[in-house]
Amino acid sequence: MSDSELKARAEALRRALHEHNYRYHVLSAPIITDGEYDRLFAELKQLEAEHPELIAPDSPTQRVGSDLVADLPKVRHPAPILSLGNVFSAEELRAWRERIGRLLPENASLSYVVEPKFDGLTVVLTYLDGLLVQGATRGNGEIGDDVTPNVRTVHTIPLRIPVSGSDLPVPRRLAVRGEVLFLKDDFAALNRRLAQDGLPPFVNARNTAAGALKQKDARVTAQRPLTAYCYEIVDADGPSPLTQWETLQYLRDLGFLTAHDVIRRFDSLDELIAYVQAFEARRHALPYEMDGLVIKVDERATYRDLGVVGKDPRGAVAYKFPAEEATTRLLDVTANVGRTGVLTPTAVLEPVFVSGVTVRQASLHNYDLIAEKDIRIGDTVIVKRSGEVIPYVVGPVIAARTGAERPVERPQTCPVCASPVARDEGEVAYYCTNPACPERVARNIEYFVSRSAMDIVGLGERSVRLLLERGLIADEADLFTLTIEDLLLLEGFAEKKAQNLLSSIEAAKQRPLATLIGSLGIRGVGSTVAEVLARHFHSMDALAAAREDELQTIEGIGPHTAGAVVEWFANPRNRALLDKLRRAGVRLAEEAAPPSRASDRLAGRTFVLTGTLPTLKRNEAATLIEQHGGKVVGSVSKKTSFVVVGEEPGSKLTKAQELGVPLLDEAGLLAMIGGAHG
Ligand code: IVH
């Protein structure tokens, strides 16, 4: 970049940051995410570091941020409430260590404490003679908003310390710093409550926590289930621990909530880096949102001696994870037709970079949710990509509306075959009513051959579409009569590959009945329900003859599923499909007698399986449970004894957590059986 380009860039960044600051702090209506703000800020800071002549007196880097609210009382903090510098990689973390190393005696060794970087907002809690007397927000770092009555509503903030009857010494005056936030479950529950009352949900947990804490009426705060984690002693008029590690133990012993499941102490920077890098995969399993980890020099004296640059202490640094949320424009909403006909609204987005990938499409879940969140085409929306889940639209940024946005229409007809759509009472999904819809047929076959269904190896999505296009197959059953000549007509199929595919198709004829039932694309019949049906009926013919009322008496089968099963078998197209499968030699009945009883250890207990277990297949786990006298059902209720959770669990896990049903992993299940599993 030329000098004038650099100057223009710095100016543009300054202008943008001022605008976003104003929207965030004054209007309380930000239109970009915190991560995006951080990125702009970091770019300006770097530019200014490399070209100090570009630093303008009004640069946002030159002031300590303030989030003061005009009509709350003010308090002066006992010591400046500092912020943190950021690093984004292991190299930057090493560079931080080198920088502070230069300020320390030569070859000085350091210990470090790693803590979560909670994605909440700072509170400073002051205790006099053990009694909570004040709670304040960070404000501008020197002066904060007095939110004492609000802080008193937070159950994890002790009103008196030490909490238990211990005689742990407490200085006469003690100021503690912590972070106020919503636990993920509490935020979800709050939004469910709002939805029940017909109110729009909150989009961003951190902003909602900030709003709740800065309420003028503490009764409003009390309606919002906030949590606070504490991590620092800001001020004490007596001796306090000499290390950060001991500080955290001390705070915990006094009765504060600390993140003891995450915090670690390291003497070696390499080991610390290994922990930090491995941590990102764990972040989603934690009960709170975190946007990184904080690394602190353990020894308080060294930490203090290292001093402060701007508003950041040198002795601590935030290691930030890639942002999981970004804002972008919603260009359109299209409907995606699934194998069971369900129409899933899909967001077409202006491409945006989120946690390491460019996202162009995102899930919108269902049309009710679009209406609930008031998402409109043309909106600036927040997109989230968390872990391996499919990116989804969190909600619109109302403050960015121009008036040109238009509502999303609910579908009247299938976008592929133009058949009318329907919706079951009490269900959110619309679905295409035409079982012969070309998209449904293609999706069904794709699912039928997939690993989680009949597991026909060597037939990908592309080949399925090709076979359909060429008229070589019209349904699942046609797969079983494909010949080598048929396959050789397809691009990419040579002799060897075609032979392999044919033997895989041959092997699929002998799959267990449950696998076949689960592969047919009956609405509501996933692998667990299929397992239940196979165990009850033992043959496809018996299942086909079942009446709706009989189906409903089976534990784990609800009225919708019962209806969908009957409807599926009543359809002539599906009847013909079963006949074709039979003629092709596909197994339509359970061959063996039900497995013999190995023990009664699980007698009287009901289990629900969700996710992929590390070693057992789902039907193996189900068989095992039944062999030991337990029962496997398809959905979680208060009566469920245990939910067995594997990788990538579904909504059954959430349901179990809501209902407080105990969870087990595979090892836990095997332990209950008592190692009887061979
Ligand atoms: S230490 C002087 N520790 O992150 C020490 N801050 O980006 C500075 N934060 O304003 C703070 N978790 O609100 C510290 N374990 C943690 C933290 C943490 C979250 C917040 C804090 C701070 C912001 C800086």
Side-chain angles (χ1 to χ4, degrees), residues 304-499:
R304 255 193 314 275
D305 291 350
L306 281 167
V308 174
V309 258
K311 46 179 179 156
D312 308 334
R314 286 197 188 83
V317 73
Y319 178 97
K320 296 273 278 229
F321 296 142
E324 296 196 316
E325 286 188 356
T327 51
T328 188
R329 273 257 298 208
L330 177 62
L331 302 175
D332 198 4
V333 174
T334 58
N336 212 308
V337 185
R339 67 189 162 91
T340 58
V342 169
L343 302 184
T344 308
T346 304
V348 182
L349 302 168
E350 212 164 80
V352 61
F353 200 66
V354 200
S355 59
V357 302
T358 302
V359 172
R360 294 187 167 78
Q361 291 205 331
S363 168
L364 280 163
H365 300 298
N366 61 61
Y367 289 91
D368 282 0
L369 213 66
I370 295 178
E372 236 166 62
K373 294 186 173 180
D374 189 20
I375 296 171
R376 303 182 193 176
I377 295 169
D379 262 338
T380 298
V381 291
I382 295 174
V383 179
K384 181 157 185 166
R385 179 176 175 274
S386 181
E388 292 311 307
V389 302
I390 299 164
Y392 65 94
V393 174
V394 182
V397 181
I398 306 277
R401 287 222 167 122
T402 63
E405 297 76 15
R406 13 181 211 105
V408 177
E409 313 241 336
R410 290 172 190 260
Q412 309 282 324
T413 56
C414 169
V416 176
C417 71
S419 306
V421 303
R423 189 184 203 194
D424 286 337
E425 204 178 318
E427 295 278 290
V428 290
Y430 292 88
Y431 57 91
C432 166
T433 49
N434 173 16
C437 168
E439 186 64 19
R440 284 185 63 176
V441 170
R443 293 271 176 143
N444 255 317
I445 300 175
E446 281 164 23
Y447 180 72
F448 188 82
V449 303
S450 70
R451 249 189 65 179
S452 28
M454 296 293 273
D455 195 16
I456 296 178
V457 187
L459 203 54
E461 237 169 76
R462 230 176 65 90
S463 316
V464 168
R465 301 263 168 173
L466 268 178
L467 287 167
L468 281 165
E469 270 169 37
R470 303 278 168 89
L472 292 168
I473 59 171
D475 59 27
E476 293 83 341
D478 290 337
L479 292 168
F480 296 97
T481 50
L482 281 173
T483 64
I484 186 112
E485 289 77 25
D486 291 339
L487 292 179
L488 289 176
L489 287 175
L490 298 186
E491 288 138 50
F493 273 87
E495 184 82 26
K496 179 96 169 83
K497 192 171 163 192
Q499 277 300 353

Side-chain angles (χ1 to χ4, degrees), residues 42-55 61:
E43 187 187 340
L44 181 60
K45 220 167 156 176
Q46 168 131 22
L47 213 69
E48 290 177 347
E50 286 162 9
H51 306 275
E53 72 279 5
L54 292 178
I55 301 178
T61 59

Side-chain angles (χ1 to χ4, degrees), residues 25 103 107 136-137 165 188 198 244 253 282-283 299 344 359 392 418 519 579 591 618 655 663 674:
H25 293 295
L103 301 170
N107 295 328
T137 66
Q244 175 63 8
D253 293 343
R282 252 182 83 190
R283 67 190 282 200
E299 206 178 49
T344 308
V359 172
Y392 65 94
S519 304
D579 281 343
E591 59 177 354
R618 199 190 274 265
K655 187 79 188 287
L663 305 179

Side-chain angles (χ1 to χ4, degrees), residues 96-143:
W96 165 76
R97 172 64 181 87
E98 262 172 46
R99 271 196 317 276
I100 61 174
R102 278 183 237 122
L103 301 170
L104 298 169
E106 211 164 321
N107 295 328
S109 65
L110 285 180
S111 299
Y112 317 86
V113 172
V114 179
E115 302 171 16
K117 184 164 168 9
F118 305 101
D119 197 10
L121 69 152
T122 285
V123 273
V124 181
L125 307 167
T126 306
Y127 291 82
L128 259 186
D129 296 319
L131 204 66
L132 175 68
V133 293
Q134 190 179 83
T137 66
R138 175 171 176 279
N140 63 16
E142 313 248 325
I143 291 172

